């Protein structure tokens, strides 16, 4: 594990939903909970056995960490594990705080030319990349995106970067 001094944490729609409604589906807030899962920070202390990070390293945080090695982990889809730890999903605290302890294997060094703010945006960017890959977006694709919020807009950017010829977006307004 590593101890981080948090620098930038995005406010996701799920954070707002937990705050306003106290639940998302089966995930119910039953006790005070720290929000935040789109984050970057600086390593201030490393645990025993951590060799790829050192104090002073600037990192982006991957918020989903497997708690056990199950069948999903064995096939490389640990994010689907029913027992996964995910920052700011009840009952797990998030990282919208001054200091945060996280698995070193799920902290990624930021290049010098990437700001902390950009580092915090890597998690929502990964959502857009995953969605466009699942949809098979490629050179010349025509893409429809339902929703023009932050994740919808990330999908627009990724679809265009993957070569989409036409991207249509709808929103509530």
């Amino acid at each position: 594990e590593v101890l981080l001094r948090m620098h930038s944490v995005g406010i996701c729609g799920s954070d707002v939903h937990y705050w306003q409604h106290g639940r998302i589906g089966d995930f119910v807030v039953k006790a005070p909970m720290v929000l935040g899962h789109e984050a970057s920070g600086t390593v201030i202390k490393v645990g025993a056995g951590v060799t790829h990070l050192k104090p002073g390293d600037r990192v982006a945080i991957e918020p989903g960490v497997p708690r056990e090695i199950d069948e999903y982990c064995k096939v490389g889809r640990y994010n689907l594990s029913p027992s996964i730890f995910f920052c700011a999903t009840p009952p797990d605290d998030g990282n919208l705080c001054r200091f945060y302890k996280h698995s070193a294997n799920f902290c990624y060094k930021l290049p010098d030319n990437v700001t902390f703010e950009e580092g915090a945006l890597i998690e929502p960017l990964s959502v857009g990349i995953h969605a466009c890959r699942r949809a098979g977006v490629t050179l010349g694709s025509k893409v429809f995106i339902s929703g023009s919020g932050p994740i919808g807009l990330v999908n627009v950017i990724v679809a265009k970067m993957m070569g989409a010829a036409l991207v249509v977006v709808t929103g509530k307004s």
Side-chain angles (χ1 to χ4, degrees):
E1 291 188 326
V2 294
L3 181 62
L4 303 164
R5 176 177 295 115
M6 300 310 298
H7 188 283
S8 295
V9 181
I11 304 297
C12 181
S14 64
D15 294 318
V16 174
H17 204 82
Y18 283 127
W19 172 54
Q20 291 183 339
H21 304 286
R23 71 180 306 137
I24 297 176
D26 292 338
F27 297 102
V28 179
V29 178
K30 296 178 181 174
M33 183 180 87
V34 177
L35 298 172
H37 63 265
E38 305 169 352
S40 65
T42 304
V43 174
I44 57 173
K45 189 175 182 181
V46 298
V50 176
T51 58
H52 70 288
L53 296 172
K54 65 183 182 318
D57 284 344
R58 298 170 340 103
V59 298
I61 295 170
E62 182 173 353
V65 179
R67 294 184 210 265
E68 61 182 315
I69 303 301
D70 59 15
E71 293 306 310
Y72 291 101
C73 293
K74 290 177 185 176
V75 296
R77 302 189 73 188
Y78 61 88
N79 58 304
L80 299 177
S81 174
S83 67
I84 194 167
F85 167 90
F86 196 90
C87 299
T89 299
D92 301 323
D93 282 327
N95 44 40
L96 186 57
C97 52
R98 189 174 311 273
F99 298 100
Y100 185 71
K101 185 172 67 171
H102 200 64
S103 170
N105 290 329
F106 292 82
C107 293
Y108 299 90
K109 283 187 193 180
L110 293 174
D112 291 340
N113 64 332
V114 175
T115 67
F116 283 113
E117 291 82 4
E118 291 166 335
L121 292 172
I122 292 172
E123 192 276 343
L125 175 64
S126 72
V127 172
I129 293 169
H130 179 68
C132 288
R133 284 181 177 168
R134 291 276 316 259
V137 176
T138 187
L139 188 62
S141 292
K142 295 178 183 176
V143 178
F144 172 76
I145 297 170
S146 178
S148 57
I151 295 300
L153 296 178
V154 165
N155 276 281
V156 170
I157 293 166
V158 174
K160 294 300 282 182
M161 293 303 297
M162 293 175 110
L166 176 67
V167 179
V168 176
V169 184
T170 63
K172 291 180 181 179
S173 301

